[in-house]
Amino acid sequence: GENVEQHPSTLSVQEGDSAVIKCTYSDSASNYFPWYKQELGKGPQLIIDIRSNVGEKKDQRIAVTLNKTAKHFSLHITETQPEDSAVYFCAASGGSILTGGGNKLTFGTGTQLKVEL
Amino acid sequence: NAGVTQTPKFQVLKTGQSMTLQCAQDMNHNSMYWYRQDPGMGLRLIYYSASEGTTDKGEVPNGYNVSRLNKREFSLRLESAAPSQTSVYFCATSGAGVSTDTQYFGPGTRLTVL
């Protein structure tokens, strides 16, 4: 099955700096790579995703890059703000589409991002 | 729209007790999932349901059963709770609209087994 590794487990940056979180995956058939943000006491929320036919995707201060050959993808947050402090999870699909739509996701172990003033 | 709702929010059980975690969605999604979240281990898939009437095992199904009651509801049952099942449980849904891959999560149920 799919295996997703995520680094670092904790990341502390100064407000305004950039943050980068990296993930690797094992299944070359995986074709969908979402990133989730989880605030304390809440469920994970999708912030950006990328598919295997795209190398990079941006949404305001957030970007994700994908290197299919190396089987790794990264989350980049620029101009970090205190409200970016949360746990971030990467995930990869196993490539199998469920009959009703959707994919089985394998998650990384999470990165605790702290943005300091 | 409430999105994905879970009940209860918190629960404390004694070893051997049983309970059912409820999940409901009003997003008209076909697929529903149950995950558990433990410190340092991310989210692990317990069971999923690709459509009404079907359920399949995920990565960590032992000790759990599920029921897809209808399109809206997907319940997770612990028949005989064990301390190892102390965790935060999340329900998620996906499968409608433009992006069928996107999973939407509920607020979670924090379960402690003594």
Side-chain angles (χ1 to χ4, degrees):
Chain A
E2 176 67 277
N3 182 50
V4 177
E5 294 189 357
Q6 182 173 347
H7 300 280
S9 57
T10 60
L11 179 59
S12 183
V13 299
Q14 295 292 316
E15 183 180 7
D17 286 349
S18 295
V20 180
I21 302 171
K22 298 182 179 181
C23 290
T24 61
Y25 62 99
S26 62
D27 188 347
S28 57
S30 288
N31 57 11
Y32 175 65
F33 307 91
W35 286 89
Y36 285 84
K37 176 183 181 182
Q38 185 178 28
E39 297 177 342
L40 193 62
K42 297 184 178 180
Q45 184 174 17
L46 180 74
I47 55 172
I48 196 168
D49 56 14
I50 193 167
R51 300 184 187 279
S52 57
N53 59 346
V54 176
E56 183 176 5
K57 184 177 179 180
K58 290 183 180 180
D59 183 3
Q60 299 183 337
R61 296 186 296 107
I62 295 173
V64 58
T65 58
L66 172 65
N67 184 326
K68 286 173 55 180
T69 302
K71 288 191 271 186
H72 67 71
F73 56 113
S74 301
L75 177 71
H76 304 254
I77 305 174
T78 59
E79 301 173 20
T80 53
Q81 301 168 5
E83 51 265 38
D84 294 330
S85 295
V87 179
Y88 292 81
F89 291 96
C90 64
S93 73
S96 58
I97 305 290
L98 303 182
T99 55
N103 273 305
K104 286 168 40 179
L105 294 176
T106 299
F107 284 82
T109 51
T111 297
Q112 175 76 61
L113 174 64
K114 182 177 181 181
V115 180
E116 298 177 336
L117 297 172
Chain B
N1 289 345
V4 183
T5 57
Q6 292 184 236
T7 55
K9 287 184 168 50
F10 301 93
Q11 185 71 49
V12 179
L13 293 177
K14 294 181 180 179
T15 297
Q17 288 185 316
S18 63
M19 78 161 294
T20 300
L21 284 67
Q22 306 285 357
C23 174
Q25 52 103 357
D26 61 3
M27 306 177 79
N28 199 33
H29 285 172
N30 291 318
S31 300
M32 299 185 74
Y33 314 80
W34 276 107
Y35 292 90
R36 61 177 289 172
Q37 184 176 33
D38 302 294
M41 301 189 74
L43 293 113
R44 292 182 293 168
L45 183 64
I46 305 171
Y47 270 94
Y48 64 98
S49 171
S51 61
E52 185 178 352
T54 67
T55 61
D56 284 288
K57 295 178 180 179
E59 180 185 354
V60 288
N62 291 347
Y64 305 95
N65 286 303
V66 290
S67 295
R68 183 72 181 270
L69 305 172
N70 47 55
K71 188 172 185 178
R72 291 187 63 248
E73 298 172 292
F74 188 37
S75 63
L76 178 71
R77 182 161 178 84
L78 286 70
E79 291 290 353
S80 179
S84 60
Q85 294 179 304
T86 293
S87 188
V88 182
Y89 292 85
F90 288 101
C91 175
T93 72
S94 70
V98 175
S99 180
T100 60
D101 293 315
T102 302
Q103 292 191 17
Y104 297 85
F105 285 80
T109 294
R110 186 173 295 275
L111 175 66
T112 301
V113 183
L114 302 175

